[in-house]
Amino acid sequence: MNRELYKTDLRHMNTDSDSEVLLNIFAHELSQKKQIEPRPEDIFSAVEGVHKRCRGGYAAVVMITGYGILGFRDINGIRPLVFGSRNSNGKTEYMIASESVALDSQGFTIERDVAPGEAVYIDVQGNLHTKVCGEPGIHAPCIFEHVYFARPDSLMDSISVYKARLRMGQRLAEKVNRLRPDHDIDVVIPIPDTSRTSALELANHLGIKYREGFVKNRYIGRTFIMPGQSQRRKSVRQKLNAIELEFKGKNVLLVDDSIVRGTTCKQIIQMARDAGARKVYFASAAPAIRYPNVYGIDMPAATELIAAGKTDQEVEAQIGADWLIYQDLEDLIAAAAEGNPDLQHFECSVFNGEYITGDVDEMYLKRLELARNDSAKLAKNKKSVARQQNLVSDLQSDG
């Protein structure tokens, strides 16, 4: 898309951000309407042009300075988008956000989710305009939002994220009882923060004590996104500290939302052993992640995913767990779908390798891997540092 924008639209990209690409495509499409003051129909036509040129998952909010605010969502509804309203001094105000919790915090009432392929435009007079711009595809929201990304107090496509995670814990407990009805688990301990909801419900259904065994340093970011394996290893130890009395002499079941690279869970299992745990079992509220994400999540290359090309037993041995339990994909889908029976599909490509847009092939995934692997990111970071150093040198020379 960057090359296409440069060659056909004569637009230069300053960053690697997908948002900048979307913004430039929309700006180009709007400029083609040749209107000094764009009308709602011009804006919707421009969004239709974006949908024709862009494939994948996206949700965007655009300020058109002096005219209004626009929000639009990809034709499959992969990424979430919602809008709400509130009354202020007798006038109706509107707000667009990716999560409903943002509306709650500002006193807005949810109107509804933006439909797949739909655009919502609020002009400077406060008038609301909506239109489905183009032919919607199969509505398939990203299920990883419910597993990990979304806040538990959000509603997405009318599904409570909190309740979906409770149901994940319930179904995981049913699998534990199915596989090992005579298990010897003494205590269930979550890996903070996202897995707490699922872990609590899992413990309730197993009739086992739930305890907080790890204290989290809130100033460390999400480790699977960090570039470089050494940085991730270092960050895990800085991120979590074990409470020894919750582990000593016990068979513990650690619960996490998912396992991506395996860096975090391997170190956490060792931390549990160092704290005195007799046996360490590990449960993932999501199935094994075996494929890369191409719809907006900065997930590692396939070769860096711990479960890619491996059996569950091989992953179990690699992370050092005495027993590894993954959620079944059918149970994960059911846990989310129960909140909205009208939803028939979810985007689950990281688990099953089935990409909803139908245009992702091996060649594309190979190019993506070359761009996303750790060595590529490291080279990119070095290049960025070099540019900054050259800029400083130039400034000093000019001085």
Side-chain angles (χ1 to χ4, degrees):
M1 286 305 300
N2 278 356
R3 286 195 299 271
E4 182 184 322
L5 278 166
Y6 182 73
K7 289 181 178 179
T8 64
D9 300 357
L10 303 180
R11 288 179 174 270
H12 176 71
M13 297 295 103
N14 295 301
T15 70
D16 295 325
S17 170
D18 293 343
S19 300
E20 189 184 4
V21 172
L22 282 171
L23 173 65
N24 274 276
I25 292 173
F26 172 75
H28 175 78
E29 293 295 326
L30 188 58
S31 70
Q32 298 305 296
K33 308 307 164 193
K34 303 190 184 304
Q35 295 288 331
I36 296 174
E37 295 191 3
R39 302 160 299 177
E41 53 264 38
D42 299 320
I43 289 165
F44 292 143
S45 179
V47 173
E48 189 173 348
V50 172
H51 290 327
K52 285 178 179 176
R53 295 178 67 179
C54 296
R55 300 186 303 274
Y58 52 87
V61 179
V62 182
M63 177 179 284
I64 307 173
T65 307
Y67 298 102
I69 292 177
L70 168 72
F72 58 91
R73 190 178 185 188
D74 66 84
I75 62 170
N76 294 107
I78 297 171
R79 292 286 144 233
L81 197 64
V82 65
F83 72 99
S85 63
R86 71 179 179 190
N87 187 277
S88 178
N89 300 320
K91 294 183 178 180
T92 302
E93 297 179 337
Y94 294 97
M95 179 176 175
I96 309 170
S98 59
E99 290 194 40
S100 64
V101 67
L103 307 182
D104 299 337
S105 67
Q106 300 303 311
F108 284 77
T109 301
I110 299 171
E111 290 286 335
R112 60 178 176 82
D113 292 283
V114 176
E118 186 181 23
V120 174
Y121 174 56
I122 301 118
D123 63 33
V124 287
Q125 282 78 38
N127 300 311
L128 176 70
H129 311 268
T130 67
K131 184 181 178 182
V132 175
C133 304
E135 190 67 32
I138 297 169
H139 187 189
C142 176
I143 205 162
F144 211 68
E145 295 278 357
H146 293 279
V147 171
Y148 181 61
F149 277 113
R151 272 182 43 160
D153 46 345
S154 279
L155 288 171
M156 288 188 166
D157 293 291
S158 302
I159 299 170
S160 163
V161 176
Y162 174 74
K163 286 189 176 180
R165 288 177 184 168
L166 285 176
R167 291 189 288 267
M168 289 176 206
Q170 177 185 338
R171 289 178 177 271
L172 200 52
E174 290 168 359
K175 183 172 183 180
V176 169
N177 278 330
R178 202 164 58 243
L179 295 178
R180 293 195 184 181
D182 300 321
H183 63 77
D184 58 352
I185 302 165
D186 297 316
V187 62
V188 172
I189 294 175
I191 312 301
D193 282 315
T194 321
S195 64
R196 283 193 171 112
T197 308
S198 297
L200 181 59
E201 193 68 1
L202 183 149
N204 286 338
H205 277 266
L206 290 179
I208 296 171
K209 288 185 295 184
Y210 170 91
R211 291 289 184 269
E212 293 284 346
F214 293 103
V215 178
K216 183 181 179 183
N217 178 350
R218 298 186 181 277
Y219 301 101
I220 300 292
R222 288 171 165 170
T223 50
F224 86 77
I225 294 173
M226 290 180 175
Q229 191 76 343
S230 60
Q231 186 179 348
R232 285 188 289 272
R233 288 197 189 100
K234 183 180 178 183
S235 294
V236 172
R237 286 283 178 175
Q238 292 175 338
K239 184 177 183 178
L240 296 174
N241 190 46
I243 301 173
E244 189 174 315
L245 62 89
E246 296 295 354
F247 293 91
K248 200 162 188 179
K250 298 175 183 176
N251 298 332
V252 300
L253 174 60
L254 303 180
V255 181
D256 208 351
D257 49 75
S258 57
I259 304 172
V260 183
R261 296 174 185 267
T263 309
T264 302
C265 61
K266 183 175 182 178
Q267 285 197 269
I268 288 171
I269 288 167
Q270 188 56 52
M271 287 170 68
R273 295 196 191 282
D274 293 343
R278 188 166 56 240
K279 290 181 182 177
V280 183
Y281 307 133
F282 202 96
S284 168
I289 297 173
R290 306 186 192 278
Y291 305 93
N293 182 277
V294 301
Y295 299 129
I297 301 175
D298 187 15
M299 202 167 270
T303 52
E304 294 167 352
L305 298 169
I306 192 170
K310 296 188 184 75
T311 64
D312 293 354
Q313 291 70 31
E314 288 171 331
V315 177
E316 177 183 283
Q318 193 166 335
I319 64 176
D322 294 300
W323 182 32
L324 171 63
I325 315 106
Y326 277 116
Q327 183 88 266
D328 291 331
L329 181 55
E330 296 77 13
D331 286 336
L332 176 63
I333 292 171
E338 191 176 324
N340 182 356
D342 293 333
L343 265 179
Q344 301 297 312
H345 304 276
F346 286 90
E347 202 293 302
C348 303
S349 58
V350 295
F351 306 120
N352 59 15
E354 297 172 9
Y355 297 93
I356 196 73
T357 51
D359 55 358
V360 178
D361 55 21
E362 285 298 321
M363 185 66 73
Y364 178 84
L365 292 176
K366 192 64 182 174
R367 288 202 311 269
L368 190 70
E369 182 171 336
L370 293 173
R372 277 187 179 179
N373 63 40
D374 277 349
S375 57
K377 288 182 179 178
L378 188 61
K380 191 174 176 183
N381 287 343
K382 284 181 178 178
K383 208 170 179 181
S384 177
V385 170
R387 277 200 304 266
Q388 290 172 9
Q389 289 173 340
N390 288 339
L391 179 60
V392 171
S393 299
D394 290 344
L395 288 170
Q396 289 173 342
S397 299
D398 291 343

